[in-house]
Amino acid sequence: DSFFDVQVKRIHEYKRQLLNALNILLIYDDLKAGGNATKDMEHTTFLFGGKAAPGYVNAKLIIKLMSCIKMSLLIACMGGKKD
């Protein structure tokens, strides 16, 4: 069982995708530290979908940040092994 947090929109720096990506980092950091703030939190699956305009550099950086977060969490869940 998991709660789905889904955001599917065009990526903009003023939209909530960046805040949600940073929230994922805060949740992960709290879980690693013992999970006091997240101990009663529902299991959550985060899904992002969207695209950036071709010349929108900041939006493309947000997409890269989300991709880096995904890869970092996958590596951490695999016990630090990078295949």
Side-chain angles (χ1 to χ4, degrees):
D1 290 338
S2 182
F3 175 78
F4 284 87
D5 186 343
V6 180
Q7 291 187 334
V8 180
K9 286 192 156 284
R10 186 174 285 268
I11 308 294
H12 290 283
E13 60 186 320
Y14 60 85
K15 297 235 178 182
R16 295 194 177 269
Q17 295 103 335
L18 178 58
L19 290 174
N20 205 7
L22 295 174
N23 185 46
I24 293 168
L25 290 175
L26 287 173
I27 291 169
Y28 179 70
D29 188 51
D30 183 66
L31 288 171
K32 280 182 60 178
N36 291 330
T38 55
K39 64 181 174 186
D40 295 327
M41 183 178 168
E42 295 285 330
H43 291 267
T44 306
T45 302
F46 294 93
L47 298 171
F48 293 92
K51 63 181 183 176
Y56 199 172
V57 175
N58 287 344
K60 291 180 183 246
L61 289 173
I62 292 170
I63 293 170
K64 183 170 176 118
L65 171 69
M66 288 187 264
S67 180
C68 289
I69 291 170
K70 174 197 69 166
M71 291 307 298
S72 297
L73 294 179
L74 283 174
I75 291 168
C77 289
M78 292 172 42
K81 299 175 189 165
K82 188 174 180 181
D83 289 335

